[in-house]
Amino acid sequence: MKQLKATRRVLIGAGAAVAVGAAAFGASAFFKDRKPSEFNARLIVGSDTDNSIAVQWEGNGSWYLELRKSGSRDAKRFTPQPDSYTVKGRTYHLQTVRIAGLHPSTTYEYQITGPNDERSGWTAFRTSDLENCRALIFPDSQSNDRYKTWEGVYNGALGRTPDIDFTCNMGDLVDCGAWLDHWDYWFSAVKGGISRIPVAVVMGNHDTYDMDSKTRVAEPVMFLHSFPVPDNGSENFRRWYYTFDSGPVHFIVLNTEWQEADLLRPGLLSEKKTWFRNVASKTDKPWSVVLMHRDVLYYKIKGRKRANETFDEVGKELMPLFDEAGVDLVLTAHLHTYRRRDHIKAFARSEDGPLYIVTGVAGNIRYPDFWIDHPLDVKIAPQPETDNYLLLDATGQSLSLKTLLPNGNEIDSVTLTKNT
Ligand SMILES: [Fe+2]
Ligand SMILES: [Fe+2]
């Protein structure tokens, strides 16, 4: 009978885990059990998804986090780093715990407990394994429908592919970075997933936008405080760009918003270039993947006169670095269209160069019948475009991408291979 109870606890997961945790600490009637989403609990990738993670939640006062392997009663207690800031008259209190030294391919559970005996219940997450990487990539989620379209894209994708190591947002998470309602809607949309699957975020231009059209750009306070990504060692642009590993892939998250940053303080592009050369040359992972918001190509726009299709400023500045470092894949966003290009090296088609893909759109702000196809485009999403996301699967020998519509239908796929 005892054995049967133990088995049921494992099978029914988090709900049972709450009961086990309460018994372990002997005060179940005293705590006010609530869901992690009520604290806006979120997981952010650590420097390696197989052994590290950051947990952040909203709350003031003295909090702590407990962590244990799934099925174990032995929990380790962590004291979070508090962070308070005020933006547009609203004060946020955040608590962050960075956890390292985890075991790969292992399911852990965390529980957060507040100063007034609030308690989240045990929530499970899994570290990635050493040999594989599986992730969902979401293009711009900026929206004007209270992020309902984005909510459907995100949760639909997670429902179809629950066994992922992390999700990635390619920038322009929100339409205006200083508009707090947008962040409320964005976090509400992802609350079913972000408390148990870590996110990697890329900063987009809209994440830096102010509500005042005269100043246009403001310090992206919400973005920077809300996502404690791995440290990049920068004094002026901490959390603006970073790197992390997942299985056989070295991900380099770049920041293409140096025009916006220069309005705040100069130096983003030059320091990031130096940093890139350093981190790109040091990895021993088989695959190098760049994630960045702005694209590298100029497109002609229907009904408008514009310069010839060529490479834009981002492309001119960064593509030579990617050639030099031997980057395998460059994922971009910003254009709200899905287009797979050829491999490009030295600003021309070349099988030796990185593969470039602009990843599409995952919110409801779309540009239908807008872009004129570029000569380097190889595959384009069905027109007029709706929304899409990508599933990345990598082993040491292959890296594949599937591009999917919100209903799960596949519209493109590509596989890169290499001998290791
Ligand atoms: Fe965008
Ligand atoms: Fe953008």
Side-chain angles (χ1 to χ4, degrees), residues 305-321:
K305 288 186 177 178
R306 199 172 184 186
N308 291 334
E309 297 120 331
T310 179
F311 297 89
D312 64 17
E313 185 192 350
V314 171
K316 289 173 183 170
E317 291 284 357
L318 300 182
M319 291 172 82
L321 296 181

PDB file of all heavy atoms in Angstrom, residues 305-321:
ATOM      1  N   LYS A 305      10.018  53.574 -53.245  1.00  0.00           N
ATOM      2  CA  LYS A 305      11.337  53.578 -53.850  1.00  0.00           C
ATOM      3  C   LYS A 305      12.360  53.338 -52.744  1.00  0.00           C
ATOM      4  O   LYS A 305      12.311  53.951 -51.695  1.00  0.00           O
ATOM      5  CB  LYS A 305      11.611  54.913 -54.532  1.00  0.00           C
ATOM      6  CG  LYS A 305      10.811  55.100 -55.813  1.00  0.00           C
ATOM      7  CD  LYS A 305      11.217  56.360 -56.524  1.00  0.00           C
ATOM      8  CE  LYS A 305      10.443  56.480 -57.832  1.00  0.00           C
ATOM      9  NZ  LYS A 305      10.770  57.742 -58.543  1.00  0.00           N
ATOM     10  N   ARG A 306      13.287  52.457 -52.999  1.00  0.00           N
ATOM     11  CA  ARG A 306      14.304  52.177 -51.986  1.00  0.00           C
ATOM     12  C   ARG A 306      15.560  51.699 -52.707  1.00  0.00           C
ATOM     13  O   ARG A 306      15.495  51.247 -53.849  1.00  0.00           O
ATOM     14  CB  ARG A 306      13.803  51.086 -51.032  1.00  0.00           C
ATOM     15  CG  ARG A 306      14.564  51.060 -49.727  1.00  0.00           C
ATOM     16  CD  ARG A 306      13.935  50.103 -48.738  1.00  0.00           C
ATOM     17  NE  ARG A 306      14.648  50.169 -47.453  1.00  0.00           N
ATOM     18  CZ  ARG A 306      14.425  49.378 -46.426  1.00  0.00           C
ATOM     19  NH1 ARG A 306      13.492  48.467 -46.501  1.00  0.00           N
ATOM     20  NH2 ARG A 306      15.111  49.503 -45.325  1.00  0.00           N
ATOM     21  N   ALA A 307      16.662  51.826 -52.050  1.00  0.00           N
ATOM     22  CA  ALA A 307      17.938  51.426 -52.645  1.00  0.00           C
ATOM     23  C   ALA A 307      17.906  49.959 -53.062  1.00  0.00           C
ATOM     24  O   ALA A 307      17.029  49.191 -52.662  1.00  0.00           O
ATOM     25  CB  ALA A 307      19.053  51.649 -51.633  1.00  0.00           C
ATOM     26  N   ASN A 308      18.850  49.573 -53.863  1.00  0.00           N
ATOM     27  CA  ASN A 308      18.938  48.198 -54.337  1.00  0.00           C
ATOM     28  C   ASN A 308      19.025  47.221 -53.172  1.00  0.00           C
ATOM     29  O   ASN A 308      19.481  47.567 -52.091  1.00  0.00           O
ATOM     30  CB  ASN A 308      20.177  48.031 -55.215  1.00  0.00           C
ATOM     31  CG  ASN A 308      20.024  48.781 -56.519  1.00  0.00           C
ATOM     32  OD1 ASN A 308      18.914  49.010 -56.982  1.00  0.00           O
ATOM     33  ND2 ASN A 308      21.147  49.175 -57.082  1.00  0.00           N
ATOM     34  N   GLU A 309      18.580  45.978 -53.464  1.00  0.00           N
ATOM     35  CA  GLU A 309      18.745  44.958 -52.437  1.00  0.00           C
ATOM     36  C   GLU A 309      20.231  44.758 -52.197  1.00  0.00           C
ATOM     37  O   GLU A 309      20.986  44.526 -53.132  1.00  0.00           O
ATOM     38  CB  GLU A 309      18.150  43.636 -52.897  1.00  0.00           C
ATOM     39  CG  GLU A 309      16.657  43.694 -53.129  1.00  0.00           C
ATOM     40  CD  GLU A 309      16.305  43.354 -54.558  1.00  0.00           C
ATOM     41  OE1 GLU A 309      17.161  43.616 -55.435  1.00  0.00           O
ATOM     42  OE2 GLU A 309      15.201  42.864 -54.781  1.00  0.00           O
ATOM     43  N   THR A 310      20.602  44.887 -50.981  1.00  0.00           N
ATOM     44  CA  THR A 310      22.013  44.701 -50.640  1.00  0.00           C
ATOM     45  C   THR A 310      22.085  44.298 -49.174  1.00  0.00           C
ATOM     46  O   THR A 310      21.117  43.781 -48.618  1.00  0.00           O
ATOM     47  CB  THR A 310      22.818  45.997 -50.921  1.00  0.00           C
ATOM     48  OG1 THR A 310      24.164  45.791 -50.565  1.00  0.00           O
ATOM     49  CG2 THR A 310      22.263  47.187 -50.172  1.00  0.00           C
ATOM     50  N   PHE A 311      23.209  44.514 -48.554  1.00  0.00           N
ATOM     51  CA  PHE A 311      23.361  44.176 -47.144  1.00  0.00           C
ATOM     52  C   PHE A 311      23.214  45.451 -46.322  1.00  0.00           C
ATOM     53  O   PHE A 311      23.740  46.509 -46.688  1.00  0.00           O
ATOM     54  CB  PHE A 311      24.730  43.527 -46.913  1.00  0.00           C
ATOM     55  CG  PHE A 311      24.868  42.234 -47.661  1.00  0.00           C
ATOM     56  CD1 PHE A 311      25.358  42.212 -48.957  1.00  0.00           C
ATOM     57  CD2 PHE A 311      24.456  41.042 -47.083  1.00  0.00           C
ATOM     58  CE1 PHE A 311      25.457  41.022 -49.664  1.00  0.00           C
ATOM     59  CE2 PHE A 311      24.554  39.844 -47.782  1.00  0.00           C
ATOM     60  CZ  PHE A 311      25.049  39.837 -49.078  1.00  0.00           C
ATOM     61  N   ASP A 312      22.479  45.353 -45.228  1.00  0.00           N
ATOM     62  CA  ASP A 312      22.247  46.553 -44.428  1.00  0.00           C
ATOM     63  C   ASP A 312      23.429  46.790 -43.474  1.00  0.00           C
ATOM     64  O   ASP A 312      24.430  46.057 -43.507  1.00  0.00           O
ATOM     65  CB  ASP A 312      20.907  46.466 -43.674  1.00  0.00           C
ATOM     66  CG  ASP A 312      20.879  45.341 -42.662  1.00  0.00           C
ATOM     67  OD1 ASP A 312      21.960  44.820 -42.293  1.00  0.00           O
ATOM     68  OD2 ASP A 312      19.775  44.974 -42.222  1.00  0.00           O
ATOM     69  N   GLU A 313      23.305  47.803 -42.614  1.00  0.00           N
ATOM     70  CA  GLU A 313      24.421  48.154 -41.734  1.00  0.00           C
ATOM     71  C   GLU A 313      24.780  47.007 -40.797  1.00  0.00           C
ATOM     72  O   GLU A 313      25.964  46.761 -40.520  1.00  0.00           O
ATOM     73  CB  GLU A 313      24.055  49.406 -40.923  1.00  0.00           C
ATOM     74  CG  GLU A 313      25.215  49.900 -40.074  1.00  0.00           C
ATOM     75  CD  GLU A 313      24.794  50.957 -39.060  1.00  0.00           C
ATOM     76  OE1 GLU A 313      23.657  51.436 -39.134  1.00  0.00           O
ATOM     77  OE2 GLU A 313      25.623  51.269 -38.193  1.00  0.00           O
ATOM     78  N   VAL A 314      23.748  46.318 -40.300  1.00  0.00           N
ATOM     79  CA  VAL A 314      24.017  45.181 -39.409  1.00  0.00           C
ATOM     80  C   VAL A 314      24.824  44.118 -40.141  1.00  0.00           C
ATOM     81  O   VAL A 314      25.807  43.575 -39.629  1.00  0.00           O
ATOM     82  CB  VAL A 314      22.687  44.596 -38.869  1.00  0.00           C
ATOM     83  CG1 VAL A 314      22.930  43.297 -38.120  1.00  0.00           C
ATOM     84  CG2 VAL A 314      21.997  45.613 -37.957  1.00  0.00           C
ATOM     85  N   GLY A 315      24.413  43.830 -41.377  1.00  0.00           N
ATOM     86  CA  GLY A 315      25.140  42.847 -42.163  1.00  0.00           C
ATOM     87  C   GLY A 315      26.575  43.269 -42.425  1.00  0.00           C
ATOM     88  O   GLY A 315      27.516  42.466 -42.274  1.00  0.00           O
ATOM     89  N   LYS A 316      26.736  44.507 -42.810  1.00  0.00           N
ATOM     90  CA  LYS A 316      28.093  44.985 -43.125  1.00  0.00           C
ATOM     91  C   LYS A 316      29.005  44.943 -41.900  1.00  0.00           C
ATOM     92  O   LYS A 316      30.193  44.648 -42.003  1.00  0.00           O
ATOM     93  CB  LYS A 316      28.013  46.405 -43.691  1.00  0.00           C
ATOM     94  CG  LYS A 316      27.429  46.445 -45.096  1.00  0.00           C
ATOM     95  CD  LYS A 316      27.219  47.881 -45.554  1.00  0.00           C
ATOM     96  CE  LYS A 316      26.572  47.913 -46.926  1.00  0.00           C
ATOM     97  NZ  LYS A 316      26.129  49.281 -47.297  1.00  0.00           N
ATOM     98  N   GLU A 317      28.455  45.249 -40.747  1.00  0.00           N
ATOM     99  CA  GLU A 317      29.275  45.271 -39.529  1.00  0.00           C
ATOM    100  C   GLU A 317      29.587  43.864 -38.998  1.00  0.00           C
ATOM    101  O   GLU A 317      30.684  43.618 -38.511  1.00  0.00           O
ATOM    102  CB  GLU A 317      28.562  46.062 -38.421  1.00  0.00           C
ATOM    103  CG  GLU A 317      28.452  47.556 -38.687  1.00  0.00           C
ATOM    104  CD  GLU A 317      29.778  48.289 -38.445  1.00  0.00           C
ATOM    105  OE1 GLU A 317      30.756  47.645 -38.016  1.00  0.00           O
ATOM    106  OE2 GLU A 317      29.820  49.505 -38.696  1.00  0.00           O
ATOM    107  N   LEU A 318      28.596  42.972 -39.079  1.00  0.00           N
ATOM    108  CA  LEU A 318      28.727  41.719 -38.344  1.00  0.00           C
ATOM    109  C   LEU A 318      29.036  40.497 -39.200  1.00  0.00           C
ATOM    110  O   LEU A 318      29.657  39.538 -38.722  1.00  0.00           O
ATOM    111  CB  LEU A 318      27.443  41.454 -37.541  1.00  0.00           C
ATOM    112  CG  LEU A 318      27.083  42.525 -36.495  1.00  0.00           C
ATOM    113  CD1 LEU A 318      25.820  42.116 -35.741  1.00  0.00           C
ATOM    114  CD2 LEU A 318      28.230  42.744 -35.509  1.00  0.00           C
ATOM    115  N   MET A 319      28.609  40.495 -40.458  1.00  0.00           N
ATOM    116  CA  MET A 319      28.806  39.278 -41.263  1.00  0.00           C
ATOM    117  C   MET A 319      30.292  38.901 -41.420  1.00  0.00           C
ATOM    118  O   MET A 319      30.625  37.711 -41.397  1.00  0.00           O
ATOM    119  CB  MET A 319      28.108  39.415 -42.607  1.00  0.00           C
ATOM    120  CG  MET A 319      26.584  39.405 -42.456  1.00  0.00           C
ATOM    121  SD  MET A 319      25.703  39.802 -43.975  1.00  0.00           S
ATOM    122  CE  MET A 319      25.723  38.232 -44.802  1.00  0.00           C
ATOM    123  N   PRO A 320      31.197  39.860 -41.576  1.00  0.00           N
ATOM    124  CA  PRO A 320      32.617  39.466 -41.635  1.00  0.00           C
ATOM    125  C   PRO A 320      33.083  38.763 -40.360  1.00  0.00           C
ATOM    126  O   PRO A 320      33.924  37.857 -40.419  1.00  0.00           O
ATOM    127  CB  PRO A 320      33.338  40.811 -41.829  1.00  0.00           C
ATOM    128  CG  PRO A 320      32.333  41.687 -42.493  1.00  0.00           C
ATOM    129  CD  PRO A 320      31.020  41.288 -41.880  1.00  0.00           C
ATOM    130  N   LEU A 321      32.520  39.155 -39.211  1.00  0.00           N
ATOM    131  CA  LEU A 321      32.872  38.469 -37.957  1.00  0.00           C
ATOM    132  C   LEU A 321      32.392  37.019 -37.986  1.00  0.00           C
ATOM    133  O   LEU A 321      33.080  36.113 -37.496  1.00  0.00           O
ATOM    134  CB  LEU A 321      32.246  39.185 -36.763  1.00  0.00           C
ATOM    135  CG  LEU A 321      32.682  40.607 -36.449  1.00  0.00           C
ATOM    136  CD1 LEU A 321      31.953  41.113 -35.214  1.00  0.00           C
ATOM    137  CD2 LEU A 321      34.181  40.664 -36.225  1.00  0.00           C
TER     138      LEU A 321
END
